[in-house]
């Protein structure tokens, strides 16, 4: 199922039920929900200095020659 359809279904579920009664999308379950994980990761990244970390990894990528696959060291 495409992500946009999952998001639309999730939005419908929350409209009818309200976020208080369902904290996960019914297709996933209470122990694993990709939408909830994505929301939690975004919240965590907002609290951290994520931009500085991404900048550091970008600089490292450039330093290593912009290669995705590197030989094992």
């Amino acid at each position: 199922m495409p992500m946009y359809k999952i998001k639309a279904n999730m939005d419908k579920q929350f409209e009818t039920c309200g976020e208080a009664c369902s904290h996960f999308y019914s297709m996933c379950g209470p122990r694993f929900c990709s939408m909830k994980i994505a929301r939690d990761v975004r919240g965590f990244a907002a609290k951290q200095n994520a931009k500085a970390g991404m900048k550091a990894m970008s600089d490292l990528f450039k330093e290593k020659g912009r290669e995705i696959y590197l030989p094992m060291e």
Side-chain angles (χ1 to χ4, degrees):
M1 178 180 265
M3 198 62 175
Y4 71 91
K5 286 187 179 181
I6 292 172
K7 177 81 172 97
N9 289 339
M10 186 175 179
D11 291 343
K12 284 182 196 174
Q13 180 184 5
F14 285 151
E15 284 174 10
T16 58
C17 176
E19 201 162 332
C21 75
S22 178
H23 60 278
F24 60 89
Y25 179 51
S26 62
M27 187 174 81
C28 301
R31 294 189 183 176
F32 176 81
C33 179
S34 61
M35 298 296 280
K36 182 178 182 319
I37 291 169
R39 183 174 53 222
D40 292 348
V41 167
R42 284 188 197 105
F44 179 78
K47 291 178 187 174
Q48 304 296 314
N49 194 356
K51 287 188 180 187
M54 288 190 288
K55 173 83 170 99
M57 290 305 291
S58 176
D59 292 343
L60 181 62
F61 176 72
K62 291 173 187 172
E63 180 183 306
K64 297 278 186 176
R66 300 175 189 248
E67 292 293 326
I68 305 249
Y69 299 105
L70 298 173
M72 293 182 64
E73 295 175 356

